[in-house]
Amino acid sequence: GQSTHGRGHPPYRRRVQAEQIAEEFPVVAIDSDALAAARLLAEHRLPGIVVTDAAGKPYAVLPASQVVRFIVPGYVQDDPSLAGVLSETVADRSAEKLRGKTVRDVLPEHLRDVPAADADATVIEVAAMMARLHSPLIAVVKDGELHGVITASRLLAAALRV
């Protein structure tokens, strides 16, 4: 069947704002356990997670891909042909690599001090921020508090009116 969603409305005549497409999303504190954060990412199939500072304000984004990068030894990243040889031991040791580490320890440098989008930012403004930062998600702040999160896939759905 034909979808009637958005029929007759030119795109963005009604300004879609960040708070309208922000979703509830788990967050982790910067000094919390990295292994627990990794499990949260895995269990909920999240593209990343917002990291809050000691005051509970959005501080950084920890992409799932960064956690993957952290558990794969550098020499395997440099020479992927080694991955076949090491696959089982690396998998066995991935939890070990994260044990005793905090979220702060595994954060990528370029996603620290990530600006949050204001609740009234447009979809295009959020998209520009996401593209510039190479971030899988952007925190949305309203009245200084974390309002929710916009993932790249959620943003695409809003932009494409899916």
Side-chain angles (χ1 to χ4, degrees):
Q2 281 257 310
S3 167
T4 55
H5 187 67
R7 172 94 25 99
H9 297 292
Y12 300 113
R13 186 170 65 192
R14 175 178 67 79
R15 269 173 52 121
V16 178
Q17 295 181 321
E19 69 177 311
Q20 295 170 288
I21 63 168
E23 303 173 276
E24 281 279 306
F25 221 72
V27 298
V28 294
I30 188 149
D31 290 314
S32 62
D33 182 56
L35 187 53
R39 289 203 169 110
L40 193 63
L41 286 164
E43 284 163 21
H44 297 279
R45 305 281 191 268
L46 302 173
I49 200 161
V50 171
V51 179
T52 55
D53 62 16
K57 301 270 184 271
Y59 168 73
V61 172
L62 177 61
S65 58
Q66 177 67 21
V67 179
V68 170
R69 195 171 296 124
F70 188 82
I71 63 177
V72 175
Y75 59 88
V76 176
Q77 292 179 41
D78 295 340
D79 184 359
S81 68
L82 293 174
V85 186
L86 294 173
S87 54
E88 294 316 303
T89 47
V90 169
D92 293 342
R93 285 206 305 259
S94 56
E96 279 306 310
K97 295 247 338 186
L98 291 168
R99 200 174 313 285
K101 297 274 192 286
T102 66
V103 169
R104 184 189 304 269
D105 295 329
V106 298
L107 273 180
E109 205 51 54
H110 78 285
L111 289 176
R112 292 169 190 250
D113 296 313
V114 170
D118 289 323
D120 61 357
T122 64
V123 170
I124 298 304
E125 288 169 327
V126 176
M129 186 183 289
M130 194 175 277
R132 192 176 71 248
L133 296 167
H134 301 286
S135 179
L137 49 90
I138 295 288
V140 177
V141 172
K142 186 173 188 178
D143 303 324
E145 297 297 312
L146 180 63
H147 177 75
V149 166
I150 299 174
T151 60
S153 53
R154 183 84 177 97
L155 190 74
L156 280 173
L160 301 172
R161 297 288 188 112
V162 175

